[in-house]
Amino acid sequence: MERKDQSGHPLLRGGRRKSGYTHGFSSAQIQSLSAIGETLVPPLPLDTINNKDNPADQAALHAFYKASGAEPPVPDEVAELMVKKGQPKAISFVKVVLTVLSFRLGTLLLCGWLCCDWKWPFIHKFLEIPVEKREKILMKWSGHAHQLPLRVVFALIKTYYLFIFFSMTDEKSENPAWKAIGYNADNRQKKAYPQGRPLQKGIIETMHADDSTFVQSLTEKGLEVVEDPEHNVYKIKCDVVIVGSGCGGGVAAAILASSGQKVVVIEKGNYFATEDYTSLEGPSMSELYESGGFLTTMNGKVMIMAGSTVGGGSAINWSASIKTPKNVLKEWSVDHKIPFFGSSDYEFAMDAVCKRIGVTENCTEEGFQNQVLRKGCENLGLKVEAVPRNCAENHYCGSCNLGCRTGDKKGTDSTWLVDAVGCGAVILTACKAENFILVNNNDALRRKKCLGVIAKSSNKNLTKKLQIEAKATISACGSLLTPPLMISSGLKNPNIGRNLHLHPVLVAWGYFPEDASGIKGKMYEGGIITSFHRVVSADSNVHAIIQTPALGPASVAALSPWVSGRELKERMAKYPRLAHLFTLVRDQGSGEVMEEGKIKYRLSEVDKENLKLGLRQLLRIMIAAGAVEVGTHRSDGQRIKCKGLTDESLQEFLDNVPVVGGLGSKDEYWTMYFSAHQMGSCRMGATEEEGAVDENGQSWEAEGLFVCDASVLPSAIGVNPMVTILSTSYCISKKIAELLKEI
């Protein structure tokens, strides 16, 4: 079905590439990559179609089965995406492997006897090997721990290739596979703003500026700007400069601007309003997420989702608006000795932020996946709870993770930042902080004093850096970016960059044929998270929570285990009725992030046990809801048919559902972990030995430098953290406003 609404921001429209490729892959490397792509997505004869009950257009289904991953321009698009979003060292190794595969002896080295034949030339290059044998080679790479580097190559190429294949669009914003798999990108009417985009009067999109227009725009918005040719900078003076515009930065900007301070917010991402969103998975992920959604820990074990646009995570999260659990607040206020988390001020802050972002308690109509979760829990006699959301109770949107096109979800980009701009705040987009301006301080309590930040636009037409000078500087660029920025600026507190918590997640799936279960809808429709279940022990200890994710077709294909090309196509043909649930734990293990993009993380044994309990519980829930088949994301495609399943057979299957290692595991089987919540890497502490910032959010080392984001949280929370981040920033910002009045 052709999309009725093809409008939207140029960066989010997709379509055929208008410029040449810059990936730098050689023709031999592209040929090897194409051969792997054809193996992942092979053309299949029509008599192999094992999905006769698929209501999709049969002609489209036939075309899908005949389609090949080797068809141009797919291989070049995959290479381009890998170079732009992947870790450089990993991509360099991929290129080496692709080169080796272009030679016969190289193929023999990496593929073994499967590349051999009794006929001349006896040894084949990878692209000359029949597809059936290539499938065996890829599965060998995936499963053999001693071939770990080849497992990494397989996982990288598989992930990028399948994402491109199912997300790439033509000039009509369509993908040929979508009709076959029963998917339609959201094309509901978008909210229009006749008076202009909500932040328009306060925003300067530096991507569209040059030296002369930029200075003029700053001056028009009431900022003092001085050009310093000697140091090649623009000196911009304000009262408060905030790095980042997400949950923490948005609230801080509103509170401080409303207190009379001249506020400048810098954001490395771009600005998109509801009228700009297209709900197209490929370009939307590329623009709205860190590394286009392909950010992982250094060992590839955890895939990390984090916002990278105006509004940060609040622009692309799944609307869950859960207040900080009381047991967590007690732990933080008593055990961590931070009294304000147990104060009436914090309770007031939670109420205030929930009111501003329009939190509602119920949902009038649940989508397919949440119906599965609710029905399964009810059939098992388990408690299922409604999830408060920052939208109307009738908000039925399954694509808010790609930007809310109806404008009903209230992120900071449509609430707190609007308030800030209304009070004179200025937002600079496509502008990245390089370091804080720190000087020696005579204050015996803090050895340094922060005078502002040095930033640079990603637009090369702006030839000078920005030296933004302020009385107070706030880092609000999240748990992954605040620590590297502080460390690169010269701060030494050992808590900076450590204690990183990720709320690790494991996913499983269940297939519910149309009408077989009595559950209506499609997996990509309806509110993303409207229900959840707590996995508790007999003593009421919460081990994990179970919720539902937002997964477009490209994400499902890329992140699910691959065991054969036929299995891939059969699974994707069932896409609309594949329910996915995930289990999330409040992690006791932790990681570190000292340099941008270099994230290390380790699960504790307790975390692994809790994930196992959660994963087994969500499989039970889907079976109880009526699934005909369920499976995990273990690399071998672990699954079980549910028809006639006895209690004994089910228990035997569940006993074989352990928590396996990640990509770097030395075992035969592995899985991919996920994280949508990052916190704690610049934690608040009662002393500088216990934390990187004090109770006011101020650095123990640098006067005038504050942190207002999830990195200040003392530990993991165990639930979706948006309200906690907003509330913490609210309290810190109020304290900063009081301190500035004394200056």
Side-chain angles (χ1 to χ4, degrees):
M1 189 174 108
E2 185 175 324
R3 284 169 61 82
K4 298 175 184 177
D5 184 356
Q6 297 176 30
S7 63
H9 196 284
L11 292 173
L12 302 180
R13 286 181 199 157
R16 296 299 187 194
R17 179 178 297 274
K18 295 180 175 62
S19 58
Y21 293 103
T22 59
H23 52 63
F25 278 51
S26 69
S27 59
Q29 289 168 340
I30 289 293
Q31 284 182 338
S32 297
L33 184 61
S34 298
I36 293 176
E38 184 184 35
T39 313
L40 294 170
V41 189
L44 298 172
L46 300 183
D47 58 11
T48 64
I49 296 179
N50 190 27
N51 203 35
K52 308 294 186 184
D53 59 340
N54 189 319
D57 182 289
Q58 288 300 304
L61 195 62
H62 290 172
F64 173 56
Y65 268 73
K66 289 191 289 186
S68 167
E71 295 170 7
V74 178
D76 281 298
E77 290 291 338
V78 172
E80 195 79 4
L81 185 64
M82 284 199 293
V83 168
K84 286 186 176 179
K85 305 298 183 182
Q87 294 181 9
K89 288 184 179 179
I91 304 307
S92 294
F93 184 69
V94 167
K95 293 172 76 171
V96 169
V97 170
L98 293 175
T99 299
V100 172
L101 290 174
S102 69
F103 297 98
R104 287 187 171 86
L105 290 178
T107 303
L108 178 63
L109 176 67
L110 299 183
C111 304
W113 64 268
L114 285 167
C115 71
C116 298
D117 197 351
W118 290 109
K119 299 177 182 178
W120 177 263
F122 305 121
I123 300 173
H124 295 292
K125 293 186 287 187
F126 187 81
L127 62 85
E128 298 170 344
I129 302 171
V131 169
E132 296 77 14
K133 285 190 175 181
R134 280 188 247 154
E135 283 192 345
K136 293 178 181 178
I137 290 168
L138 293 190
M139 286 308 295
K140 183 180 176 184
W141 289 1
S142 172
H144 287 206
H146 66 275
Q147 293 183 328
L148 182 58
L150 292 179
R151 177 189 285 179
V152 172
V153 170
F154 162 76
L156 273 172
I157 294 178
K158 184 269 289 189
T159 302
Y160 283 101
Y161 220 106
L162 297 184
F163 185 86
I164 285 289
F165 186 85
F166 286 97
S167 68
M168 191 174 66
T169 58
D170 58 23
E171 61 280 353
K172 295 181 180 179
S173 296
E174 284 291 312
N175 179 297
W178 289 352
K179 184 181 285 188
I181 66 175
Y183 173 71
N184 290 307
D186 193 346
N187 61 4
R188 290 173 302 155
Q189 185 67 38
K190 291 186 284 191
K191 183 175 181 178
Y193 292 95
Q195 307 302 318
R197 299 190 296 173
L199 301 178
Q200 202 61 49
K201 75 173 185 178
I203 208 146
I204 299 176
E205 297 183 86
T206 69
M207 282 301 292
H208 306 308
D210 56 32
D211 287 329
S212 60
T213 60
F214 180 62
V215 172
Q216 182 181 348
S217 297
L218 290 170
T219 305
E220 288 174 353
K221 289 177 170 48
L223 290 167
E224 180 184 334
V225 188
V226 176
E227 187 175 348
D228 183 351
E230 182 181 349
H231 297 96
N232 198 37
V233 298
Y234 292 118
K235 291 184 177 179
I236 304 167
K237 293 197 174 181
C238 61
D239 296 317
V240 179
V241 59
I242 302 172
V243 182
S245 63
C247 291
V251 171
I255 297 294
L256 291 160
S258 66
S259 72
Q261 307 296 330
K262 187 62 178 179
V263 174
V264 172
V265 179
I266 63 173
E267 166 60 53
K268 70 182 180 70
N270 291 305
Y271 172 47
F272 304 103
T274 56
E275 64 197 53
D276 299 318
Y277 294 128
T278 62
S279 303
L280 294 174
E281 191 176 8
S284 298
M285 292 285 288
S286 179
E287 285 295 324
L288 304 178
Y289 288 77
E290 285 289 343
S291 300
F294 290 97
L295 181 65
T296 67
T297 51
M298 292 291 288
N299 61 4
K301 182 173 184 174
V302 186
M303 182 162 279
I304 296 171
M305 314 298 287
S308 183
T309 181
V310 172
S314 74
I316 47 90
N317 69 12
W318 302 346
S319 301
S321 305
I322 303 171
K323 288 185 174 181
T324 319
K326 293 187 183 302
N327 66 302
V328 174
L329 289 177
K330 182 178 179 181
E331 179 185 312
W332 290 351
S333 60
V334 177
D335 297 346
H336 288 269
K337 303 184 179 90
I338 306 171
F340 99 78
F341 283 116
S343 68
S344 58
D345 287 346
Y346 188 82
E347 291 289 338
F348 177 85
M350 286 198 290
D351 291 338
V353 300
C354 286
K355 181 178 180 180
R356 183 63 188 96
I357 62 174
V359 174
T360 56
E361 298 293 329
N362 298 298
C363 173
T364 56
E365 181 184 6
E366 289 195 306
F368 168 64
Q369 295 191 132
N370 283 277
Q371 290 179 61
V372 167
L373 174 56
R374 184 173 292 277
K375 182 178 180 179
C377 286
E378 290 173 348
N379 287 346
L380 291 172
L382 302 173
K383 183 179 180 181
V384 60
E385 302 175 48
V387 175
R389 300 182 295 158
N390 59 329
C391 57
E393 292 186 348
N394 64 352
H395 186 54
Y396 193 79
C397 174
S399 61
C400 277
N401 59 309
L402 305 176
C404 183
R405 59 191 290 124
T406 66
D408 190 36
K409 187 181 77 170
K410 308 298 183 188
T412 60
D413 51 316
S414 60
T415 54
W416 297 100
L417 288 171
V418 174
D419 298 343
V421 166
C423 294
V426 178
I427 304 169
L428 308 179
T429 65
C431 190
K432 186 176 182 180
E434 291 190 341
N435 60 272
F436 297 119
I437 306 169
L438 301 179
V439 296
N440 291 328
N441 189 19
N442 295 326
D443 182 351
L445 292 177
R446 290 175 169 84
R447 63 183 182 86
K448 296 286 185 180
K449 185 171 185 177
C450 186
L451 303 180
V453 66
I454 300 293
K456 185 178 181 180
S457 170
S458 54
N459 179 4
K460 293 180 180 178
N461 291 327
L462 280 181
T463 60
K464 295 178 177 60
K465 293 185 179 183
L466 314 182
Q467 181 172 310
I468 307 172
E469 301 170 357
K471 293 183 287 186
T473 302
I474 298 175
S475 186
C477 43
S479 294
L480 303 179
L481 294 174
T482 280
L485 183 58
M486 297 180 80
I487 291 169
S488 65
S489 301
L491 297 181
K492 306 292 186 184
N493 185 294
N495 290 289
I496 300 174
R498 293 188 172 88
N499 313 302
L500 174 67
H501 295 279
L502 297 180
H503 278 174
V505 158
L506 284 176
V507 181
W509 57 271
Y511 178 45
F512 296 79
E514 198 80 45
D515 299 327
S517 62
I519 300 174
K520 304 295 183 183
K522 298 177 180 178
M523 67 93 69
Y524 56 87
E525 297 174 339
I528 299 170
I529 296 179
T530 56
S531 298
F532 82 115
H533 166 65
R534 301 179 201 261
V535 181
V536 297
S537 59
D539 58 0
S540 298
N541 182 38
V542 178
H543 292 282
I545 64 172
I546 295 173
Q547 294 179 329
T548 58
L551 291 171
S555 296
V556 167
L559 303 178
S560 298
W562 182 92
V563 295
S564 75
R566 177 176 175 175
E567 190 280 332
L568 167 76
K569 290 191 173 181
E570 289 178 353
R571 171 164 33 91
M572 292 308 296
K574 301 172 182 176
Y575 167 74
R577 301 289 296 181
L578 281 177
H580 290 78
L581 304 184
F582 68 82
T583 183
L584 174 155
V585 301
R586 184 187 182 202
D587 44 330
Q588 296 183 17
S590 64
E592 62 181 48
V593 55
M594 304 296 186
E595 296 180 57
E596 184 175 341
K598 296 184 177 180
I599 304 160
K600 299 178 182 178
Y601 181 77
R602 181 179 292 274
L603 292 165
S604 73
E605 291 304 314
V606 172
D607 298 335
K608 293 176 184 177
E609 181 64 24
N610 287 337
L611 279 166
K612 180 176 71 175
L613 293 172
L615 188 60
R616 292 178 178 181
Q617 184 81 310
L618 69 83
L619 288 165
R620 290 190 191 95
I621 288 169
M622 285 194 285
I623 293 170
V628 300
E629 186 178 23
V630 297
T632 70
H633 275 201
R634 201 171 74 177
S635 57
D636 63 334
Q638 181 186 37
R639 62 183 64 196
I640 189 170
K641 300 279 187 182
C642 303
K643 186 176 181 180
L645 188 64
T646 64
D647 290 343
E648 293 78 12
S649 297
L650 172 58
Q651 191 57 51
E652 183 181 348
F653 173 73
L654 293 176
D655 288 342
N656 195 35
V657 179
V659 173
V660 295
L663 191 57
S665 168
K666 295 180 181 179
D667 298 323
E668 180 180 2
Y669 302 133
W670 53 277
T671 193
M672 180 67 77
Y673 293 77
F674 304 95
S675 166
H677 311 149
Q678 303 87 43
M679 65 220 93
S681 56
C682 199
R683 70 180 179 190
M684 188 178 287
T687 66
E688 60 183 313
E689 288 75 31
E690 297 171 295
V693 299
D694 66 13
E695 192 178 16
N696 295 325
Q698 187 168 202
S699 163
W700 284 107
E701 296 175 87
E703 179 185 342
L705 176 59
F706 300 83
V707 179
C708 278
D709 59 30
S711 69
V712 303
L713 302 181
S715 70
I717 310 166
V719 296
N720 310 69
M722 177 170 65
V723 169
T724 300
I725 302 166
L726 294 169
S727 305
T728 302
S729 180
Y730 185 96
C731 293
I732 292 174
S733 303
K734 288 285 188 181
K735 293 175 182 177
I736 296 172
E738 292 172 8
L739 291 171
L740 289 175
K741 287 178 182 177
E742 299 172 4
I743 297 177

